[in-house]
Amino acid sequence: MGEIIIKTPEQIEGIRKSSRLAAQTLDYIAEFVTPGVSSGFLDKKIEEFILAHGAVPATKGYNGFPASCCISPNEIVCHGIPSEKSILKEGDIFNIDVTTILNGFYGDTSRMYSIGEISPMAKNLIAASSHCLNLGIQQVKPGNYFGNIGYVISRYARSRGFSVVYEYCGHGVGISFHEEPQVDHSARRNSGPVMRPGMIFTIEPMINQGRPSTVVDKKDGWTARTSDRKLSAQFEHTVLVTPTGFEVLSDSRGEYPVT
Ligand code: MF3
Ligand code: CO
Ligand code: CO
């Protein structure tokens, strides 16, 4: 196990710029989310946007991943592969996850989108997963334990009748795609390493309607689905530990509203 990198002010500024671009990519794609659009088309627009802003999509070619983002509809937990054949329709919910490399620095963020009218269950799950991320972010301050992020997330998710995916985690990010530490979204109070100013990592809880377990598609080796095929939702931010608390680097306007 490696060390948790404390980023320099120059590195922080580079990661801030990359993270903000990733967030702006998620803003940009919203207007293309319409009934009948393919996830492959959304991926193409995302790639164009990232390249036009002088960055590259970190996922393309990463361990053989073929696309510029991950698009994960409905029962897909994460790592959905965008495809012209995957058509998004009324009632669908899906996560788009973008990681940019700008001037060598990584920024990683994801959000939920939906098409038309969605079920009350889907709405509740999306609201809960968004709140889980906010609760996790509010644990970020020097001296606190990483475990408290997962502690508050899992306590809240369970209180709403949902479960927390334990097979995929948040991660240190910035100089590389996946750095130390692993950020668990379900953890014991006051467990794990201690947060220090200059640490940068993602929080990206995947919250399930039913069981927490997942299965990876045997054919493509990527797509992770809920094992019971019920819904899953996820939001992700790249977060900096500041001397007094946190800064959400992947906010498209650079001012994170806590809800
Ligand atoms: N962006 C994802 C994360 O949050 C990782 C995607 S890796 C890929 O960590 F290869 F599936 F693209
Ligand atoms: Co991530
Ligand atoms: Co991501």
Side-chain angles (χ1 to χ4, degrees), residues 21-22 24-30 32-33 39-53 55-60 67-71 82 94-100 109 113:
L21 176 62
Q24 287 164 347
T25 309
L26 293 179
D27 288 352
Y28 164 77
I29 203 61
F32 298 100
V33 172
S39 62
F41 177 80
L42 297 178
D43 180 65
K44 216 172 64 196
K45 301 309 288 181
I46 282 172
E47 176 161 43
E48 281 171 18
F49 186 88
I50 292 172
L51 295 176
H53 288 81
V56 293
T59 51
K60 197 148 211 175
S68 297
C69 63
C70 299
I71 301 186
F94 54 99
N95 173 279
I96 303 183
D97 190 339
V98 167
T99 309
T100 46
T109 182
Y113 297 80

Side-chain angles (χ1 to χ4, degrees), residues 59 62 65 70 79 97 99 108 171 177-178 204 222 236:
T59 51
Y62 176 77
F65 192 83
C70 299
H79 302 168
D97 190 339
T99 309
D108 189 4
H171 49 92
F177 200 160
H178 294 106
E204 50 180 300
W222 282 105
E236 172 176 25

Side-chain angles (χ1 to χ4, degrees), residues 139 143-152 187-194:
Q139 288 299 314
N144 198 10
Y145 293 94
F146 274 93
N148 287 336
I149 295 171
Y151 175 70
V152 297
R188 294 168 66 152
R189 199 163 165 237
N190 294 346
S191 65
V194 171

Side-chain angles (χ1 to χ4, degrees), residues 71-80 86 89 91-95 112 125 165 206-217 223-233:
I71 301 186
S72 305
N74 302 322
E75 79 285 359
I76 301 182
V77 173
C78 62
H79 302 168
S86 163
K89 58 175 198 310
D92 283 346
I93 63 168
F94 54 99
N95 173 279
M112 295 302 291
L125 185 66
V165 171
M206 286 142 271
I207 306 301
N208 289 357
Q209 176 190 352
R211 295 171 53 82
S213 53
T214 67
V215 196
V216 175
D217 189 289
T223 312
R225 293 187 176 80
T226 55
S227 54
D228 59 12
R229 301 297 192 268
K230 291 186 178 173
L231 295 175
S232 185

